[in-house]
Amino acid sequence: MAPKSKVAKSSATASPAASDPFRPGSAVEVSSDDEGFRGSLYTAKVVRRLPDDRVVIEYDSLMANESGSKPLREVLKLHQLRPLPPVETGREFKFGDEVDAYHNDGWWEGHITQECGDGRFAVYFRVSREQIEFGKEELRLHREWFDQKWVPPLEEEQEKVSLTPNVKSAAEIAMPAVKSAETAIPNVKSTKTMTPDLKAAETVTEKERFSVGTPVEVSSDEEGFQGAWFSATVVQVMGQGKFLVEYQSLLADDDSKPLREEVDNHHIRPRPPQTGVNGQFSQLEEVDALHNDGWWVGVVSEVLDDSRYVVFFRSSNEELEFQNSQLRKHQEWIDGKWITTSKAETVGGMGHVPSAPNDEGLLRRSSRPRVPSKRLKEL
């Protein structure tokens, strides 16, 4: 998002050296905006601090070469680091929980969309639009490191460790229960295989759900637009899962007419229904905020007077203030249903099943070795 808020806060706030969580030798988790790694966190250690809020880190499980003999080192901005989150023992997960799932040597943010029994859960990943099943030992409650504290706050005193209990380093063993989505795995199903009872879903989608004239919302993977949905209308059904849409508020380059664009079925959904919340939201509730002509997913970080709210956006690490009229409850379009993950409630089944994740899905990419955006040659 282009404009920065005056109340934006960074996790890189300076602190005394004695309490600095990112001093050399510290164990940390690292986020990345590199293609194929968005939405993930990897464990690492701080090697040294550099000027201009930069830091040299060395990954625990990402390698710099094919042989896996040399850990990858990178120069990153301080805001891409956070301390290791505490480990909770005995947590019970449920439908709608926002979690991190351990997969391909890293932690990936998602939502529990199904309780499968025997301590296993289906997790939906918003960025890649995939749904994969995990054991509870491969999950943790998702938390943000914001303004020098964990959000949501900790419920009790917990120790910090580099990896989750019962999940060993990827250098020691392959993931015990979470294998590559490309392999055939019992109990690990794609979004398509987890909905066997709904047939001819793609036919229904193209000819009925997204027919010409249907109001829809469209997402984009372009830099600067990730995490936003824009209102549009279907102009033409092109077949093979592709549609021509005309945006409601985005204009063509010459500003003379509304922008028209071809999109695929991974980037289109119906307009979400009203949820009847009467414009009232609570702290830590997940919402969509109307900003720069689109709806951006965020979390209410502060409730102000006069129906105003401060919303934190993970993708840009910033806070902005909104009136309640500019917010709506966040919903996900999963398995033909609108799911309000923050309250674990389902809103209106719709008869559309997402097609199988494409082969370039985010969680299908191997993280070993990783090609860094900035590789250190001599450290």
Side-chain angles (χ1 to χ4, degrees):
M1 294 178 294
K4 296 288 185 180
S5 168
K6 293 181 180 179
V7 293
K9 302 175 183 176
S10 170
S11 60
T13 302
S15 59
S19 60
D20 181 6
F22 308 126
R23 59 187 180 274
S26 299
V28 295
E29 286 189 340
V30 176
S31 65
S32 174
D33 292 327
D34 286 357
E35 186 67 25
F37 292 88
R38 294 189 182 99
S40 63
L41 289 159
Y42 291 85
T43 57
K45 67 179 179 182
V46 176
V47 176
R48 75 163 68 105
R49 296 285 289 267
L50 299 174
D52 301 323
D53 282 337
R54 294 179 303 146
V55 61
V56 180
I57 61 98
E58 181 178 287
Y59 290 97
D60 293 334
S61 58
L62 300 184
M63 299 293 116
N65 52 23
E66 292 285 349
S67 65
S69 61
K70 183 181 180 181
L72 175 65
R73 288 187 174 190
E74 279 190 311
V75 175
L76 301 174
K77 286 290 190 180
L78 205 55
H79 70 77
Q80 293 178 265
L81 275 60
R82 71 181 204 174
L84 292 179
V87 172
E88 296 178 295
T89 58
R91 172 168 285 278
E92 297 296 327
F93 297 101
K94 63 183 183 302
F95 174 85
D97 280 350
E98 187 173 16
V99 296
D100 297 330
Y102 193 77
H103 186 70
N104 276 357
D105 302 337
W107 292 98
W108 302 78
E109 180 187 353
H111 287 92
I112 292 177
T113 53
Q114 184 179 341
E115 298 179 25
C116 304
D118 296 325
R120 302 190 64 80
F121 302 86
V123 178
Y124 176 75
F125 300 94
R126 183 183 300 137
V127 176
S128 63
R129 297 176 177 82
E130 293 181 273
Q131 184 169 269
I132 300 176
E133 189 175 312
F134 295 90
K136 64 180 180 180
E137 70 276 5
E138 296 147 359
L139 301 177
R140 68 184 187 190
L141 186 69
H142 178 77
R143 283 190 167 94
E144 295 287 343
W145 179 248
F146 180 68
D147 199 20
Q148 303 298 306
K149 58 180 180 289
W150 290 107
V151 179
L154 306 180
E155 296 176 359
E156 56 183 307
E157 190 68 21
Q158 298 146 334
E159 63 175 333
K160 298 182 180 180
V161 296
S162 59
L163 291 174
T164 186
N166 303 322
V167 180
K168 298 181 181 179
S169 169
E172 298 177 311
I173 58 170
M175 281 298 296
V178 187
K179 303 178 183 177
S180 169
E182 295 175 357
T183 59
I185 318 167
N187 299 324
V188 178
K189 308 180 180 68
S190 70
T191 313
K192 188 174 184 177
T193 58
M194 294 187 78
T195 52
D197 55 328
L198 297 178
K199 301 179 180 179
E202 293 184 5
T203 303
V204 172
T205 299
E206 292 186 7
K207 294 186 177 181
E208 297 179 16
R209 177 54 56 195
F210 299 128
S211 58
V212 173
T214 301
V216 293
E217 289 189 342
V218 177
S219 67
S220 174
D221 291 330
E222 290 185 24
E223 190 68 28
F225 290 91
Q226 292 145 354
W229 289 88
F230 296 88
S231 297
T233 302
V234 175
V235 175
Q236 180 182 349
V237 178
M238 307 180 71
Q240 297 184 335
K242 294 185 177 180
F243 307 87
L244 181 66
V245 300
E246 181 176 287
Y247 289 97
Q248 179 177 306
S249 55
L250 300 182
L251 300 178
D253 291 338
D254 59 4
D255 293 338
S256 64
K257 56 185 177 182
L259 174 65
R260 288 192 174 192
E261 190 173 48
E262 180 183 311
V263 300
D264 60 33
N265 55 9
H266 298 290
H267 296 85
I268 190 172
R269 69 182 190 182
R271 295 265 180 92
Q274 296 291 327
T275 56
V277 296
N278 299 320
Q280 300 301 313
F281 304 94
S282 56
Q283 190 174 29
L284 303 182
E285 185 169 3
E286 195 169 30
V287 296
D288 295 335
L290 184 60
H291 182 67
N292 281 354
D293 300 325
W295 291 97
W296 303 76
V297 61
V299 176
V300 174
S301 58
E302 188 175 355
V303 178
L304 306 176
D305 295 332
D306 301 323
S307 298
R308 294 176 298 119
Y309 301 86
V310 177
V311 177
F312 173 66
F313 300 94
R314 299 187 188 101
S315 58
S316 58
N317 195 36
E318 63 180 330
E319 283 185 318
L320 296 174
E321 185 179 314
F322 294 91
Q323 290 287 335
N324 62 346
S325 59
Q326 297 171 295
L327 301 178
R328 68 185 186 189
K329 186 183 292 291
H330 178 73
Q331 300 173 75
E332 292 284 355
W333 178 245
I334 304 172
D335 286 359
K337 303 179 182 68
W338 284 108
I339 301 213
T340 307
T341 52
S342 61
K343 295 296 183 183
E345 57 184 277
T346 301
V347 183
M350 295 273 185
H352 162 58
V353 179
S355 59
N358 65 45
D359 292 336
E360 294 301 315
L362 177 144
L363 295 184
R364 294 175 180 265
R365 304 184 183 196
S366 173
S367 59
R368 181 186 300 277
R370 173 179 170 187
V371 179
S373 57
K374 295 180 181 178
R375 180 173 294 172
L376 297 178
K377 295 183 179 179
E378 297 182 1
L379 285 174

